[in-house]
Amino acid sequence: MQSVYLNRNPTAKAILDLVHSFENNSLCYDHLAFRTFGVNGYGIDSLAQFFLDYGYTQRDDGMNGPLPRIFISELLVDQMSPRTQGIIRKYTESSGNGKKYAALASSLGHLTWDKPLYSEFQQLARESEYAAWTLVNGHALNHVTISAHRLKTYLRDIKKLNQFLEESGFRLNSEGGVLKVSPDGLLLQSSTVADSISFQFSDGITESVPCSYIEFAERLVLPQHENLPHTEIKEFHRRDGFEVASADKIFESTSKEQVSRAGA
């Protein structure tokens, strides 16, 4: 999955290489994120089962194990317009047993349904850019997230990491401000703007569509553990889970507005 992600998203690869070389140390992922259609068994469960089979547990407040968290979201298809619902159901239903192979499709970089018409992509994009992204990217990794507080240099401060990346020529998602802060002030997040790839639709039209991006997260120490010596602080001493409002802003990394700004 990571190999396909890096091959399709040069910005993510360049940032990982840059931060890795600056840190001279291995990087830790906070989480990996996927998008799904919440219909016909293609929702969260289509990808979750693979990870559950390999030892993950489903939680609402995050995970404290040695592996990165997995964040799987789904589009509430039933809340879309009849026309958009029809397009989504057309492709998920034509996929047959594709939902059983979502993880395999992600690791191979393939869709489990046929390529859509460009007009269908446009219809979804007008109503939900999340839906349009999923239609052309399928089960691909939507983003990976670097765990900023686990870096070794001054870049572990996400504000300094953001500054470092912007000074290095990378554009960050500005929706709601570059730095997204949870209400409790303990979860800090930022992200790049998604790369774009050339996609040939089934009617022969070739257009640029948003691909994936890379996120950064700093989880601060919980108040009850703030007096612990720095050397004794573990991941479970830090703020866990996710923040819906911040996630919504991070998801805008694939929006037309942000992608167009990046190309300006």
Side-chain angles (χ1 to χ4, degrees), residues 57-63 240-242:
T57 55
Q58 187 168 341
R59 296 178 56 174
D60 293 328
D61 59 349
M63 298 179 69
D240 206 349
F242 299 97

Side-chain angles (χ1 to χ4, degrees), residues 90-133:
K90 169 187 174 181
Y91 287 98
T92 55
E93 288 172 4
S94 71
S95 179
N97 290 326
K99 58 182 172 292
K100 295 182 179 179
Y101 305 103
L104 177 61
S106 179
S107 65
L108 294 175
H110 294 305
L111 294 173
T112 61
W113 49 75
D114 294 333
K115 288 185 175 183
L117 298 168
Y118 181 54
S119 60
E120 293 172 324
F121 172 79
Q122 289 179 305
Q123 164 63 27
L124 265 61
R126 283 192 292 269
E127 189 169 341
S128 166
E129 292 190 276
Y130 179 116
W133 188 95

